[in-house]
Amino acid sequence: MPPPARCPLSPQSGIDEVAPRPSKRMGVRRGRLDSSLFHMLVLVCALSQVLFVGLVTGQTAQLSVDASSQNGRTIPDKMFGIFFEELNHAGAGGLWAELVSNTVQVTGFEAGGINTPSNIDPWLIIGDESNIIVETDRSSCFASNPIALRMEVLCGATGTNACPSGGVGIYNPGYWGMNIEKTKVYKVSMYIRSSDSVDLAVSLTSSDGLQNLATHTITAEKGDFAGWTKVEFDLQSSERNTSSRLQLTTTKNGIIWFDQVSVMPSDTYMGHGFRKDLATMLANLKPRFLKFPGGNYVMGNYLLNAFRWSETIGPWEERPGHFNDVWNYWTDDGLGFFEFLQLAEDLDACPVWVINDGASLNEQIPSATIAAFVKDVVDGIEFARGDPKTTWGSVRAAMGHPEPFPLYYISVGNQECSKPYYKEKYVKFYSAIKASYPDIKIISSCDISSISAVNPADLYDVHVYTSSGDMFSKTRMFDSTPRSGPKAFVSEYAVTGNDAGRGTLHYGCPNYWMLHFFKDSSGATLHPLTIQVSNYDQLAASALTWQNSNDGNTYLKIKVVNFGNKAVNLNIAVAGLENGIQEFGSIKTVLTSGWLRDENSFQQPDKMGVIVDPYSLTSFDLLLDTNTDKYPLLESSFHSSM
């Protein structure tokens, strides 16, 4: 089988853009301005408490862009991507579409512990102790998941000990309530065992159980479920309810065991188990790489709870799951190593695997005994890239993906350069990986000052967590970094502290919309520019030429960050244009705290007068005419109020 297509990631030691300050309130405004000379995209990220403070006297600035091709630099085509970590239920209860929640296990009953009876939270009982007893025991048919739930119903359909109307049973509230949509189909599966006859209603209901959205009845004669039996069916909801639950009820006396209960939407992203809405939002960012499965999540507080790739593959019922002790919740690893690789493929992004190098936040495996961890990583690469006839490649093929995944980037550890043994262990991982897969690029946790011939690396990982003011001061962080040698990989960054909002909006946080301004930068041409302004150091800008893959149009994108509290009258001059600027086809989008459908408009086709608040990121996309014979080198200018 020919090797998979290469998936190069070449972050360069330079920044062409700057993240704005997050906001607490935002709205989106969009309008198509066919009569305008300019195509403009505007993002306003302002703290809500600042929006209502009177602006100080406006500032004037001059921005000069050299848009000539000879002075432009090509941005690596894998420059911008995304990083995933299982925290705050980003996977379990988020991107992974499973609706059944469990702090003990998402679909089984493991994390209450191996001793039974154990905690069944968040499953709850419908009925009371006079008519139902629910407990866990070690009767599951899965060796890696031995805990099952035993439900003993003491009441019956009729007689003096009749069950309450609607029956008794158990229910699962999902993660903060299940979002059930009208007419949507949900795939339900579970394992059942019972020596008795069975008459069980499986329903999607409102959170109080009073509104029935969909029901399927499982019936069986005595002995039909004497052994563990997998039952699968579809439920189609008749109504919409954003805070629903799954309930299993009966009015029949007897004992039923349950295990591996699952409810999944039928229309997941690419059919691979990811929530369509959230995965689509990721795809809209056009990420060129996906780093996974996390930072501290990879390590765990203790190695007992670290992410182990080989325990997250194969049939989901047989995955043991593990306690995410860093972020304090159980994960069943339905979103495992295979699924991360699949997600990268679905997003057309390069997978970047962060490996556990024998370290947790509180433990370190010495270099002398690290060999087993090294072999485990090499085996993981074989799972991703190996021929279907290899040991681990055959496991991947059995999961439905005989073609290898293009895994070409491995990040060794997470923020561990200062830990004992890291550098010694790193060299062993580096050597073993390069020996078997010389084309793989290795990312070190150490910065460039620690990388040498005896401690080599292709890239070095950079994490930035700081205040918004300090983040803005890093706009030229990599300007003096050598362009030869290992490349900087800024894989984690966030504004923290008291001078920024939390960015916790329901529909895409401010940081998400900010990333849209970078989605077209990979592979674009970066142009030099200068900013001239007196007594005001709160502006940063970039300019690049990019091509829209959907319509083939070429644009000159100019982005400007105004981090200060002054409105700025910005004069922008562009020299060296080899193409004219189109007169039609412009679009303007504003992300702000205004009314959703508000629209701005251009009054003059040859000038731009745009007023945005301080603490903002503004982007102008100028549609260029691709008829190079029509225009000589051009110089253009326009005016903007910021």
Side-chain angles (χ1 to χ4, degrees), residues 167-215:
V168 297
I170 56 176
Y171 73 89
N172 186 288
Y175 299 92
W176 314 286
M178 298 180 182
N179 181 29
I180 302 299
E181 300 179 45
K182 186 176 181 179
T183 72
K184 195 169 185 177
V185 175
Y186 298 87
K187 294 184 176 295
V188 182
S189 66
M190 66 185 71
Y191 285 78
I192 297 177
R193 182 170 70 88
S194 180
S195 299
D196 303 309
S197 58
V198 173
D199 188 356
L200 181 74
V202 181
S203 306
L204 293 171
T205 74
S206 57
S207 60
D208 57 9
L210 298 179
Q211 180 191 26
N212 188 287
L213 307 175
T215 297

Side-chain angles (χ1 to χ4, degrees), residues 476-591:
R476 312 194 72 85
M477 178 177 175
F478 294 105
D479 281 11
S480 59
T481 302
R483 265 41 183 176
S484 60
K487 305 301 182 183
F489 180 35
V490 184
S491 67
E492 296 185 35
Y493 59 92
V495 170
T496 59
N498 296 325
D499 66 341
R502 294 173 59 87
T504 52
L505 294 182
H506 184 67
Y507 294 103
C509 67
N511 300 332
Y512 169 80
W513 294 111
M514 177 273 295
L515 290 174
H516 275 266
F517 287 77
F518 299 82
K519 66 183 182 182
D520 298 308
S521 295
S522 294
T525 299
L526 179 66
H527 299 293
L529 55 77
T530 59
I531 299 177
Q532 294 177 307
V533 60
S534 299
N535 302 317
Y536 192 69
D537 59 356
Q538 303 296 297
L539 295 180
S542 70
L544 54 88
T545 302
W546 67 281
Q547 187 174 50
N548 188 322
S549 59
N550 294 324
D551 57 22
N553 288 333
T554 300
Y555 297 88
L556 174 65
K557 180 189 291 288
I558 300 173
K559 290 192 286 292
V560 184
V561 173
N562 180 4
F563 187 68
N565 66 344
K566 293 184 178 181
V568 176
N569 298 314
L570 185 65
N571 298 304
I572 303 177
V574 181
L577 282 175
E578 298 175 0
N579 304 93
I581 298 175
Q582 289 274 14
E583 188 173 348
F584 302 101
S586 298
I587 300 172
K588 180 173 67 175
T589 301
V590 179
L591 182 62

